[in-house]
Structure formats: C-alpha cells, structure tokens
Amino acid sequence: MIRDFFVAKKLRELPGYMWIPLGLALAVNLLTYFGTRPLTDGLTHYDFSMGIDSLIPFVPAFIIFYVLAYVQWVVGYVGISLESRDYCYRILTGEILAKLMCLFCFFLIPTEMVRPEITGTSIWDSLTDMIYMADEPNNLFPSIHCLESWFCMRGTLGMKKAPTWYKWAMVAVSLGVFASTVLIKQHVFLDFIGAVAVAELALYISNKFRLYKLFYGRGK
C-alpha cells in the first residue's frame, strides 16, 4: 500500500542510492534555469506564440496547479526513486539529460513572450501576479514546468509498487500543470510540445546507450 511504499518512510529509511541522482538533478535544474539568464540577456529573443495561443483564454485560477507542481515534483521524484535502484537511475538520468538539452535550447534559441496585464483583484490574480514578478518571461522553450511534470507522470505510470489511485492522481495533477502553463500565460503552446519532445528524446537516448549505468556503484 502507499503508506508502506511512501508516506510511512522516514528520512533515515530512504535508500542511499537516490541522493546522488536527485542532488545532481537539482543542481542541473538550477544551472539551466538561472545560470543561463545572465549569459543570454544581450541576445535576440524569439516569441514562439502561434494562432492557437490567441485562442487560449487567460484563467488565473489555474495558478493553483502551477504552484502545486512544485509539490508534485518532490513527491513524484522521491516516489520514483523508491521504486527500485534501477528505476530511479533510469528515470533521473533521462531527466538530467533532458535538462541539459533545455540548457542548450536556452542558449541556442532564447525565447520570451508578452504576458497580459493583470487587472483583477481575486486571490488567483494576486498569486499569478506574484509569479509574474518572481519569474521573468524568458527561458520558455522547452517549458521546464511541463518537462518536470511529464517526467513525474511518465515515471509514476511505469511503477509497479504504486497503487492505481496514486498513478491517476499524478496524471490528473500533471494535466492540470500542463494546462496551467498556457492558461495563466506563463508559456505558449509550443513550449509544452517542446518539453514533451525533449523528455521523450532524453529517455530514449538514456536507455539506448544505458547512460544510467553511470550511477551504479554510487550509494546503497
């Protein structure tokens, strides 16, 4: 049951093999998202908005899913890591490789977008405005938000220990996250497509060349 599988696990009971790939994934994430910005400030930025983006409404209430994504990533990646050593290495190696691909994209094709002016006064408008102030509208393609949730969903669906309800919950949250990125106008539709393409390509390369084997022998 999920209690034995995840909730009841204490920090000292978590397997040592998971910490290096999780730590490396976090480090690469910070490097990719924040480290590239100072180096691309003076470069030409591109707006990948398409016709479909003008048809997508601005729905501030979806900010709840955008913020919930941060919780999903912690729960999702720890859960995936607890499945088994091999599974942890396979999924997280793909995630790290995908993030490095994102880093390359941020340098090669810097992106930006024009976000709407927030005039509402609801709690959702206020939360969206906070996100806008904290997160500049660049480093958009591929969407890291979508990429991380895709890995959580993809990884959870492949697990054998997780119960069905947990898998469906992860799918539901992921779908909400995907929708939130375009409905709060933090990303354009092509950013989501790019995230899925990069994630799947990274997983394919990692499995094809068995890059996850690099983690074996590290941790117990």
Side-chain angles (χ1 to χ4, degrees):
M1 296 297 291
I2 193 66
R3 177 178 175 81
D4 299 322
F5 163 69
F6 186 73
V7 178
K9 290 287 184 178
K10 297 178 181 179
L11 187 60
R12 65 176 179 272
E13 296 174 341
L14 296 177
Y17 65 73
M18 64 188 283
W19 297 117
I20 290 180
L22 283 174
L24 184 57
L26 177 60
V28 173
N29 180 77
L30 295 175
L31 173 65
T32 298
Y33 197 67
F34 295 106
T36 56
R37 280 178 162 162
L39 302 177
T40 58
D41 279 345
L43 300 180
T44 300
H45 284 61
Y46 303 92
D47 189 335
F48 285 172
S49 298
M50 303 184 298
I52 189 174
D53 293 296
S54 63
L55 299 176
I56 298 174
F58 176 51
V59 186
F62 267 79
I63 189 65
I64 189 65
F65 283 102
Y66 194 84
V67 174
L68 185 60
Y70 297 104
V71 178
Q72 179 201 25
W73 302 341
V74 174
V75 173
Y77 283 123
V78 171
I80 288 168
S81 298
L82 292 174
E83 173 74 0
S84 71
R85 178 194 296 244
D86 184 73
Y87 199 68
C88 169
Y89 291 168
R90 285 175 182 270
I91 299 298
L92 285 172
T93 299
E95 192 273 348
I96 292 168
L97 179 58
K99 201 62 63 61
L100 292 174
M101 291 180 178
C102 288
L103 186 151
F104 180 74
C105 288
F106 292 166
F107 275 122
L108 182 64
I109 41 176
T111 48
E112 62 183 3
M113 67 177 293
V114 177
R115 299 186 296 202
E117 181 181 354
I118 298 177
T119 58
T121 58
S122 71
I123 185 174
W124 314 121
D125 291 292
S126 298
L127 284 173
T128 302
D129 190 45
M130 289 175 59
I131 292 295
Y132 279 11
M133 289 189 292
D135 194 7
E136 298 178 17
N138 51 41
N139 278 2
L140 303 175
F141 179 87
S143 166
I144 287 182
H145 236 73
C146 292
L147 182 140
E148 296 289 24
S149 290
W150 183 268
F151 268 102
C152 285
M153 181 179 71
R154 185 85 149 69
T156 299
L157 289 176
M159 293 166 61
K160 296 180 179 179
K161 295 181 180 179
T164 302
W165 71 261
Y166 177 75
K167 294 182 179 182
W168 279 112
M170 190 63 67
V171 170
V173 172
S174 295
L175 293 177
V177 172
F178 302 152
S180 74
T181 60
V182 292
L183 288 173
I184 68 168
K185 301 299 179 179
Q186 187 70 353
H187 283 278
V188 297
F189 183 72
L190 196 58
D191 298 335
F192 164 69
I193 300 301
V196 174
V198 167
E200 290 301 318
L201 178 60
L203 283 171
Y204 173 78
I205 292 175
S206 175
N207 289 322
K208 176 71 173 179
F209 297 99
R210 298 187 177 185
L211 299 181
Y212 55 88
K213 294 291 186 180
L214 296 173
F215 282 119
Y216 274 91
R218 294 174 171 82
K220 296 182 180 180

